[in-house]
Amino acid sequence: GLPAPRAGEPFAVLRIPRFGRDWDWPVLEGTAVATLKRGLGHYPGTALPGRTGNFAVAGHRRTYGDPFKDFPRLRTGDAVVLTDGTTRYTYRIARSPFRTVPSDTGVIDAVPDKSPFTRPGRYLTLTTCEPEWGSSHRLIAWARLESTAPATHGKPAAFRS
Protein backbone atom coordinates (compact mmCIF):
# COMPACT_ATOMS: atom_id res chain seq x y z
CA GLY A 1 0.00 0.00 0.00
CA LEU A 2 0.86 3.65 -0.13
CA PRO A 3 2.71 5.42 2.70
CA ALA A 4 0.60 7.06 5.41
CA PRO A 5 -0.62 10.44 4.20
CA ARG A 6 0.55 13.71 5.76
CA ALA A 7 -1.88 16.04 7.53
CA GLY A 8 -3.98 18.04 5.08
CA GLU A 9 -2.75 16.02 2.10
CA PRO A 10 -5.23 14.46 -0.37
CA PHE A 11 -4.66 10.74 -0.83
CA ALA A 12 -7.85 9.28 -2.29
CA VAL A 13 -11.09 10.12 -4.06
CA LEU A 14 -14.47 8.99 -2.76
CA ARG A 15 -17.46 8.35 -5.05
CA ILE A 16 -21.01 7.54 -3.97
CA PRO A 17 -23.09 6.66 -7.04
CA ARG A 18 -26.34 7.23 -5.09
CA PHE A 19 -25.41 10.94 -4.95
CA GLY A 20 -25.05 11.28 -8.74
CA ARG A 21 -22.64 10.45 -11.51
CA ASP A 22 -20.49 13.53 -10.95
CA TRP A 23 -20.27 13.23 -7.16
CA ASP A 24 -16.65 12.70 -6.22
CA TRP A 25 -14.60 14.30 -3.49
CA PRO A 26 -10.98 14.19 -2.42
CA VAL A 27 -10.21 12.54 0.90
CA LEU A 28 -7.56 14.44 2.85
CA GLU A 29 -5.69 13.41 5.97
CA GLY A 30 -7.18 14.87 9.15
CA THR A 31 -10.41 16.53 10.24
CA ALA A 32 -9.15 20.05 10.98
CA VAL A 33 -11.47 22.90 9.97
CA ALA A 34 -9.13 23.99 7.16
CA THR A 35 -8.92 20.42 5.83
CA LEU A 36 -12.70 19.92 5.71
CA LYS A 37 -13.02 23.14 3.70
CA ARG A 38 -11.19 21.33 0.89
CA GLY A 39 -12.94 17.98 0.89
CA LEU A 40 -13.59 14.99 3.08
CA GLY A 41 -11.32 14.24 6.04
CA HIS A 42 -9.85 10.94 7.21
CA TYR A 43 -9.91 10.59 11.00
CA PRO A 44 -6.24 10.19 12.02
CA GLY A 45 -5.57 6.91 13.75
CA THR A 46 -8.32 5.03 11.93
CA ALA A 47 -7.45 2.40 9.32
CA LEU A 48 -6.24 3.21 5.83
CA PRO A 49 -8.36 2.06 2.87
CA GLY A 50 -8.70 -1.68 2.44
CA ARG A 51 -6.91 -2.50 5.70
CA THR A 52 -8.40 -4.38 8.61
CA GLY A 53 -10.04 -1.83 10.90
CA ASN A 54 -12.29 1.13 10.28
CA PHE A 55 -11.48 3.74 7.62
CA ALA A 56 -13.42 6.70 9.05
CA VAL A 57 -14.23 9.81 7.02
CA ALA A 58 -15.88 13.12 8.00
CA GLY A 59 -17.55 15.58 5.66
CA HIS A 60 -19.62 18.74 5.82
CA ARG A 61 -23.36 18.43 5.29
CA ARG A 62 -23.66 22.08 4.29
CA THR A 63 -21.03 24.72 3.47
CA TYR A 64 -17.76 24.14 1.60
CA GLY A 65 -19.52 22.52 -1.36
CA ASP A 66 -22.10 20.53 0.66
CA PRO A 67 -20.40 17.15 0.08
CA PHE A 68 -22.75 15.21 2.38
CA LYS A 69 -25.94 17.21 1.71
CA ASP A 70 -27.72 14.00 0.57
CA PHE A 71 -26.35 11.82 3.39
CA PRO A 72 -29.83 10.80 4.66
CA ARG A 73 -30.53 9.25 1.23
CA LEU A 74 -27.92 6.52 1.78
CA ARG A 75 -29.44 3.03 1.89
CA THR A 76 -28.29 -0.46 2.81
CA GLY A 77 -26.45 -1.94 -0.16
CA ASP A 78 -25.32 1.37 -1.68
CA ALA A 79 -21.80 1.35 -3.08
CA VAL A 80 -19.09 3.67 -1.78
CA VAL A 81 -16.04 3.59 -4.06
CA LEU A 82 -12.65 4.82 -2.93
CA THR A 83 -9.67 5.14 -5.26
CA ASP A 84 -6.17 5.88 -3.95
CA GLY A 85 -4.23 5.93 -7.20
CA THR A 86 -3.24 2.24 -7.11
CA THR A 87 -6.38 0.46 -5.95
CA ARG A 88 -10.15 0.87 -6.21
CA TYR A 89 -11.99 -0.23 -3.05
CA THR A 90 -15.72 -0.89 -3.19
CA TYR A 91 -17.55 -0.76 0.12
CA ARG A 92 -21.27 -1.51 0.65
CA ILE A 93 -23.42 0.42 3.12
CA ALA A 94 -24.49 -1.99 5.86
CA ARG A 95 -27.32 0.09 7.34
CA SER A 96 -29.14 3.37 6.71
CA PRO A 97 -27.71 6.42 8.47
CA PHE A 98 -27.77 6.34 12.25
CA ARG A 99 -28.15 9.46 14.42
CA THR A 100 -25.95 10.04 17.45
CA VAL A 101 -24.23 12.78 19.46
CA PRO A 102 -20.74 14.24 18.77
CA SER A 103 -19.30 12.73 21.98
CA ASP A 104 -20.15 9.21 20.77
CA THR A 105 -16.67 8.53 19.39
CA GLY A 106 -17.02 4.73 19.55
CA VAL A 107 -18.70 4.85 16.14
CA ILE A 108 -15.24 5.17 14.56
CA ASP A 109 -13.61 2.39 16.64
CA ALA A 110 -11.94 -0.46 14.72
CA VAL A 111 -15.08 -2.51 15.35
CA PRO A 112 -17.53 0.40 15.42
CA ASP A 113 -19.76 0.73 18.47
CA LYS A 114 -23.53 0.47 17.70
CA SER A 115 -22.77 -0.80 14.18
CA PRO A 116 -23.98 -4.11 12.75
CA PHE A 117 -20.37 -5.37 12.97
CA THR A 118 -19.33 -7.58 15.87
CA ARG A 119 -15.83 -8.73 14.90
CA PRO A 120 -12.77 -7.24 13.22
CA GLY A 121 -13.08 -6.61 9.50
CA ARG A 122 -12.48 -4.04 6.77
CA TYR A 123 -14.96 -1.27 7.45
CA LEU A 124 -15.72 2.27 6.35
CA THR A 125 -17.52 4.84 8.50
CA LEU A 126 -18.90 8.09 7.06
CA THR A 127 -19.83 10.90 9.47
CA THR A 128 -21.54 14.26 8.99
CA CYS A 129 -23.41 16.87 11.00
CA GLU A 130 -27.11 16.69 11.88
CA PRO A 131 -29.37 18.62 11.51
CA GLU A 132 -28.61 19.88 8.04
CA TRP A 133 -27.66 23.41 9.15
CA GLY A 134 -26.52 22.54 12.67
CA SER A 135 -24.11 20.33 14.55
CA SER A 136 -25.94 19.16 17.68
CA HIS A 137 -25.89 15.58 16.38
CA ARG A 138 -24.04 13.38 13.90
CA LEU A 139 -25.24 11.09 11.17
CA ILE A 140 -23.20 7.93 10.76
CA ALA A 141 -23.19 5.38 7.94
CA TRP A 142 -21.22 2.15 8.10
CA ALA A 143 -20.02 0.04 5.20
CA ARG A 144 -17.95 -3.10 4.73
CA LEU A 145 -15.34 -3.78 2.08
CA GLU A 146 -16.82 -5.85 -0.74
CA SER A 147 -14.02 -5.89 -3.32
CA THR A 148 -10.75 -4.37 -4.44
CA ALA A 149 -9.44 -3.93 -7.98
CA PRO A 150 -6.46 -2.21 -9.57
CA ALA A 151 -7.14 1.45 -10.29
CA THR A 152 -7.33 1.70 -14.06
CA HIS A 153 -6.12 5.22 -14.77
CA GLY A 154 -3.45 5.95 -12.18
CA LYS A 155 -4.06 8.86 -9.86
CA PRO A 156 -7.57 10.31 -9.95
CA ALA A 157 -7.97 13.60 -11.84
CA ALA A 158 -8.23 15.50 -8.57
CA PHE A 159 -4.51 14.88 -7.98
CA ARG A 160 -3.19 15.69 -11.42
CA SER A 161 -1.69 19.13 -11.55
Side-chain angles (χ1 to χ4, degrees):
L2 299 175
R6 290 194 303 272
E9 185 178 87
F11 66 94
V13 166
L14 192 74
R15 290 189 174 82
I16 301 179
R18 157 89 57 194
F19 295 165
R21 202 183 53 205
D22 298 327
W23 193 98
D24 59 51
W25 283 84
V27 180
L28 301 100
E29 181 62 18
T31 57
V33 172
T35 300
L36 291 179
K37 286 180 182 181
R38 295 163 47 217
L40 308 176
H42 170 238
Y43 285 92
T46 69
L48 286 171
R51 307 268 175 87
T52 298
N54 184 8
F55 177 69
V57 175
H60 278 291
R61 182 91 171 268
R62 289 296 197 168
T63 67
Y64 307 116
D66 305 343
F68 280 157
K69 168 174 65 76
D70 293 327
F71 201 96
R73 293 177 50 212
L74 286 169
R75 293 295 174 264
T76 302
D78 281 355
V80 179
V81 181
L82 190 87
T83 308
D84 68 6
T86 60
T87 306
R88 189 174 68 242
Y89 305 92
T90 302
Y91 292 85
R92 290 270 167 202
I93 297 289
R95 64 170 283 186
S96 294
F98 165 84
R99 191 168 185 260
T100 190
V101 291
S103 58
D104 190 4
T105 55
V107 297
I108 65 168
D109 285 354
V111 178
D113 192 26
K114 302 189 170 114
S115 77
F117 312 133
T118 56
R119 58 177 62 91
R122 296 166 194 260
Y123 305 129
L124 165 74
T125 300
L126 303 175
T127 74
T128 196
C129 287
E130 167 77 0
E132 194 168 1
W133 294 101
S135 60
S136 61
H137 289 75
R138 296 287 180 269
L139 284 181
I140 312 295
W142 289 292
R144 75 163 45 86
L145 186 65
E146 177 183 76
S147 62
T148 61
T152 42
H153 303 298
K155 286 211 163 190
F159 304 154
R160 292 189 207 118
S161 43

